[in-house]
Amino acid sequence: MNTDELKIKSFFEERKREEELQKDFIIHQGYTAFGEILKEVKSRGSLNEADVYYGIPKPQLSFSEVELGYMLTSMMEYATNHVGNPVDEESEFENKLAFFEHEKEMLQIYEVSGQGTDSWFEIPDEETIDKLSNTAYGVYLIQFDDFINHYKNKVIK
């Protein structure tokens, strides 16, 4: 193999390893992470990877900013692929939302694109919770169990 082939092979091996770490974290720590994220969001108002690294006070999480990134990315991808994403019409930036529920608690992921992309967890406002619970908008509400089971099924395949 030449150097370019080795670099490509190494890239794909590293990507596969990262995907396995991500799946493993979601399957084995997902419920714990959801609870800890929810607690921090209720305390702080929102939570993203930078908060774990730079936040004052530091969030009390049993996992790293990389693993929080796994949750943000994986949950948004799951929502996009399974129910689609509504947008915040009042925002001047391109954005998309995702909503997850576990044990009657809801988390929202807000992703904004511009000169880069940033995403964070927050609690949906009362109006949004009402729409998710009582209207056709509820199609966007994902049960967190379904998200975890999706990853468990990927491992089985």
Side-chain angles (χ1 to χ4, degrees):
M1 269 188 209
N2 67 33
T3 306
D4 290 337
E5 289 174 328
L6 287 173
K7 287 179 185 176
I8 291 169
K9 183 178 179 189
S10 176
F11 170 80
F12 284 115
E13 287 172 351
E14 180 62 22
R15 181 67 185 132
K16 183 175 175 143
R17 189 182 73 75
E18 286 176 17
E19 287 175 0
E20 290 302 316
L21 289 172
Q22 184 174 347
K23 275 191 273 185
D24 208 38
F25 177 76
I26 290 167
I27 291 168
H28 298 292
Q29 301 295 320
Y31 289 110
T32 300
F34 188 96
E36 290 180 20
I37 291 166
L38 185 66
K39 181 180 174 189
E40 286 296 322
V41 168
K42 285 180 176 181
S43 168
R44 304 170 83 79
S46 67
L47 182 68
N48 70 10
E49 295 162 79
D51 292 326
V52 177
Y53 196 70
Y54 301 111
I56 297 176
K58 290 252 183 242
Q60 299 300 303
L61 302 171
S62 64
F63 49 91
S64 70
E65 74 274 5
V66 171
E67 292 163 326
L68 181 64
Y70 291 163
M71 293 295 287
L72 278 165
T73 302
S74 300
M75 290 170 75
M76 185 57 86
E77 284 177 4
Y78 181 83
T80 301
N81 293 332
H82 289 81
V83 298
N85 302 95
V87 297
D88 178 355
E89 300 288 343
E90 295 179 16
S91 176
E92 61 189 68
F93 299 105
E94 184 177 330
N95 67 80
K96 59 184 180 178
L97 303 167
F99 305 96
F100 288 82
E101 180 179 44
H102 180 59
E103 297 180 350
K104 299 187 183 195
E105 296 278 7
M106 288 185 202
L107 275 175
Q108 171 180 303
I109 300 172
Y110 194 95
E111 183 176 282
V112 177
S113 301
Q115 292 184 352
T117 300
D118 195 14
S119 57
W120 58 89
F121 289 102
E122 58 187 19
I123 303 290
D125 62 32
E126 288 300 320
E127 180 183 336
T128 303
I129 291 171
D130 186 53
K131 282 173 42 179
L132 288 165
S133 300
N134 299 312
T135 70
Y137 195 74
V139 70
Y140 295 114
L141 182 60
I142 298 167
Q143 296 303 312
F144 192 70
D145 290 338
D146 294 341
F147 168 71
I148 297 292
N149 288 333
H150 169 77
Y151 278 89
K152 286 180 179 177
N153 290 335
K154 283 176 95 171
V155 169
I156 293 169
K157 289 180 182 176

